[in-house]
């Protein structure tokens, strides 16, 4: 179900409106109920007509300074006060402060005998007195069918009903009239909807043994409005209406970085974390630590002084806090500081739309910076309905700049199950956790499948869940691919042995080479010494020969001189 409501601006109409104080209802009515006009609130038994009408009055008295009158034709005043106390309404206090009047008009069909003209004149007198008592601006008549028992003529009934609605308009009060759902028509008599300026239909539907309340604005004279069915929730926090919108994809974006809570994981993203306001899916097999990653993300958000809202659908808050202590974090301190809020419920407690309505109400009330949904795979139903629910929740978060962190249980050992693939298109970042079996053991690995708007690692990273947190191990690729656990350790040991053997062989060869070099150098030295000795001897012989030549020349010269003297 989609609606054009979010994509169109609030109309600049002249019709004055009275806010109900129910945010979702005021959103789909574009401001509230028509001021000074009657609104018909119709539906079958148990759909919440009386509680919604009383919420309209109480909000008027407590939030908008407008006194109100509740005139009941079925429930006694004391019963009504007791019934709405479950919503936290202090009706007795409002009555004592003259902000509210509760009046029970007893109408017993068996005691009514029509003689002459039967009309609403006594109701006008009684209602007018109650309005004047407190200066009421808001009026509730619950339920109108009780007055019809005195009318046998439909023409007279229609005329009196018109007169009643006209009288309410003349008094200038914004009136809510409740009516029972008819068979094949909006109301039992099929008259009230034609004379009302605004008609709101409530429905309480049961599908697959799960009840879902829905609201639809059938008509609204003088004003545009949301036209679809809107789920609404009634619990201890009051009435919450979920406006289903198309979101228009006009939400603002941020370039601010949000850490993942695991420093080693941050390094796998080019930004160093997620974009603020993005949607993150963490999918994985059972036991891969999805909740642990969620806990560290929540811890990171709260440590920065921001609020985090954690929706848990499989574990209680106390169990999550206890389990996270084994992973090195204390979430209780964040709960005590008011920065972390857990909202836990079984998926079977409500239908998908009621869960969405509850989460929307909690987000509006808590105003978190981050939301965690753990896990989305806990929801059961038609795949298209689950997809639509998650789309609306993601849009709610994006419109408010909230970082949404979803976990999902994968039921297959491949990268992602069909359910994960179905919602992956909604996500900005998708991280997959899985197990790798080798050497008789299972080890955890993760990888980033996508992260819009930034570069990211394409490596498979082994990680360990330790008492100090989540530790990512540097990627290791062996001859047979990525190795983890003991297989990695064994391969590393083998490689160390091989490296040692190669080192020893190299050292041995080096020693042999050194010995050969030393021997060769010694032989060279000996040869060089012998050569030098021979060179010295040759030089000596040469010197001696040169000396003999000189002596011989001298002797010859001397002999020549002697011969000259003799002659």
């Amino acid at each position: 179900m989609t609606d054009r409501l979010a994509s169109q601006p609030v109309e600049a109409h002249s019709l004055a409106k009275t806010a109900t104080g129910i945010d979702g209802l005021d959103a789909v009515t574009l401001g509230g109920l028509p001021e000074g006009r009657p609104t018909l609130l119709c539906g079958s038994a148990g759909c919440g007509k009386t509680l919604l009408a009383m919420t309209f009055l109480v909000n008027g008295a407590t939030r908008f300074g407008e006194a109100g009158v509740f005139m009941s034709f079925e429930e006694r005043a004391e019963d009504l006060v007791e019934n709405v106390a479950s919503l936290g309404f202090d009706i007795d206090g409002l009555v004592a402060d003259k902000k509210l009047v509760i009046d029970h008009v007893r109408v017993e069909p068996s005691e009514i005998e029509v003689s002459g003209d039967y009309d609403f004149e006594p109701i006008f007198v009684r209602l007018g007195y109650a309005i004047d008592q407190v200066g009421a601006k808001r009026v509730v008549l619950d339920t109108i069918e009780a007055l019809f028992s005195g009318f046998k003529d439909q023409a007279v009934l229609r005329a009196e009903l018109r007169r009643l609605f006209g009288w309410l308009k003349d008094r200038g009060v914004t009136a809510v009239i409740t009516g029972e759902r008819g068979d094949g028509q909006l109301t039992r008599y099929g008259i009230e909807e034609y004379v009302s300026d605004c008609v709101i239909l409530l429905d309480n539907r049961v599908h697959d043994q799960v009840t879902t309340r829905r609201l639809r604005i059938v008509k609204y004279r003088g004003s545009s409005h949301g036209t679809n069915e809107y789920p609404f929730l009634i619990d201890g926090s009051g009435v919450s209406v979920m406006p289903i919108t198309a979101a228009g994809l006009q939400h603002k974006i941020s370039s601010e970085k949000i850490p993942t809570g695991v420093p080693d994981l941050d390094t796998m993203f080019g930004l160093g974390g997620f974009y603020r306001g993005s949607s993150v899916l963490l999918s994985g097999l059972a036991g891969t630590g999805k909740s642990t990653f969620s806990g560290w993300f929540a811890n990171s958000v709260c440590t920065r002084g921001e609020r985090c809202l954690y929706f848990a659908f499989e574990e209680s808050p106390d169990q999550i806090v206890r389990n996270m202590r084994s992973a090195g974090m204390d979430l209780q301190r964040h709960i005590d500081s008011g920065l972390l809020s857990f909202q836990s419920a079984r998926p079977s407690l409500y239908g998908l739309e009621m869960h969405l309505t509850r989460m929307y109400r909690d987000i509006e009330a808590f105003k978190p910076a981050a939301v965690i949904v753990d896990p989305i795979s806990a929801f059961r139903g038609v795949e298209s309905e689950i997809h639509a629910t998650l789309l609306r929740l993601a849009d709610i978060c994006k419109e408010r700049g909230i970082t949404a962190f979803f976990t999902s249980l994968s039921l297959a050992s491949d990268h992602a199950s069909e359910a994960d693939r179905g919602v992956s298109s909604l996500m900005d970042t998708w991280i997959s956790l899985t197990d790798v079996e080798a050497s008789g053991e299972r080890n955890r690995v993760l990888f980033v499948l996508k992260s819009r708007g930034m570069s990211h690692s394409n490596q498979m990273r082994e990680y360990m869940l330790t008492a100090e947190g989540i530790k990512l191990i540097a990627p290791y690729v062996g001859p047979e691919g990525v190795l983890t656990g003991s297989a990695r350790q064994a391969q590393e040991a083998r490689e160390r042995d091989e490296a040692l053997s190669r080192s020893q062989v190299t050292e041995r060869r080096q020693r042999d080479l050194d010995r050969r070099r030393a021997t060769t150098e010694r032989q060279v030295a000996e040869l060089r010494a012998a050569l030098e000795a021979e060179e010295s001897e040759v030089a000596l012989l040469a010197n001696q020969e040169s000396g003999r030549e000189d002596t011989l020349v001298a002797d010859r010269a001397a002999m020549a001189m002697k011969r000259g003297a003799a002659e």
Side-chain angles (χ1 to χ4, degrees), residues 34 71 182 237 276 323 343 390 422 429 436 441-442 473 510 521:
M71 179 169 284
S237 300
R276 181 181 291 276
N323 294 345
Q343 298 295 331
L390 295 176
T429 299
V436 174
E441 65 180 18
R442 287 184 175 272
I473 301 173
Q510 184 65 44
E521 289 177 351

Side-chain angles (χ1 to χ4, degrees), residues 16 66 72 158 327 375 490:
E66 295 183 355
S72 172
R158 181 183 290 269

Side-chain angles (χ1 to χ4, degrees), residues 213-442:
R213 289 186 171 95
R214 291 180 174 86
L215 173 150
R216 179 167 66 92
I217 302 173
V218 179
K219 80 171 184 179
Y220 199 136
R221 288 174 180 159
S223 172
S224 59
H225 55 83
T227 57
N228 291 328
E229 286 189 326
Y230 304 91
F232 71 98
L233 178 67
I234 299 177
D235 60 7
S237 300
V239 180
S240 303
V241 178
M242 172 64 195
I244 304 171
T245 66
L249 296 177
Q250 300 298 321
H251 48 265
K252 296 181 179 179
I253 62 170
S254 172
S255 298
E256 182 183 352
K257 177 187 71 174
I258 299 296
T260 66
V262 181
D264 292 339
L265 181 58
D266 290 339
T267 62
M268 298 185 68
F269 296 94
L271 184 68
F274 310 132
Y275 282 118
R276 181 181 291 276
S278 61
S279 299
V280 181
L281 173 64
L282 182 73
S283 63
L285 302 175
T288 51
K290 297 181 296 298
S291 295
T292 305
F293 276 91
S294 301
W296 276 108
F297 178 67
N299 180 73
S300 174
V301 172
C302 297
T303 301
R304 295 194 304 271
E306 298 178 328
R307 291 186 174 188
C308 181
L309 184 57
Y310 197 123
F311 294 105
F313 294 100
E314 290 185 343
E315 298 178 280
S316 67
D318 289 343
Q319 185 178 2
I320 294 174
V321 171
R322 182 203 65 186
N323 294 345
M324 291 304 104
R325 290 195 182 102
S326 66
M329 79 188 84
D330 180 17
L331 295 181
Q332 186 62 47
R333 62 190 179 97
H334 298 310
I335 297 175
D336 295 339
S337 67
L339 294 175
L340 178 61
S341 175
F342 280 95
Q343 298 295 331
S344 300
R346 285 293 182 188
S348 57
L349 181 62
Y350 307 114
L352 289 172
E353 291 181 336
M354 295 300 282
H355 273 297
L356 181 63
T357 304
R358 183 177 68 92
M359 289 189 283
Y360 170 77
R361 180 200 62 195
D362 293 339
I363 289 172
E364 287 292 289
F366 193 64
K367 301 188 182 307
V371 166
I372 298 173
V373 182
D374 180 32
I376 59 175
S377 51
F379 295 110
R380 294 292 180 265
V382 180
E383 197 66 35
S384 60
E385 294 181 359
I386 296 176
H387 186 278
T389 299
L390 295 176
L391 174 61
R392 282 176 264 165
L393 180 58
D395 283 341
I396 289 171
C397 293
K398 283 184 180 295
E399 287 175 356
R400 291 157 179 78
I402 299 172
T403 307
F405 192 94
F406 302 91
T407 70
S408 176
L409 173 65
S410 299
L411 302 179
S413 58
D414 59 354
H415 290 342
S417 66
E418 290 298 326
D420 294 337
R421 295 188 184 98
V423 302
S424 63
S425 62
L426 308 178
M427 302 299 158
D428 300 302
T429 299
W430 185 8
I431 305 170
S432 180
L433 311 179
T434 188
D435 287 335
V436 174
E437 185 176 358
S439 301
E441 65 180 18
R442 287 184 175 272

Side-chain angles (χ1 to χ4, degrees), residues 464-499:
M464 299 179 64
L465 306 180
T466 70
E468 289 76 33
I470 302 173
K471 305 296 183 183
L472 270 65
I473 301 173
Y476 179 86
V477 181
E480 299 177 357
V482 177
L483 299 179
T484 60
S486 61
R488 171 179 178 155
Q489 295 174 357
Q491 179 62 27
E492 289 176 339
R494 285 193 296 270
E495 291 186 356
R496 284 194 298 269
D497 291 341
E498 293 174 358

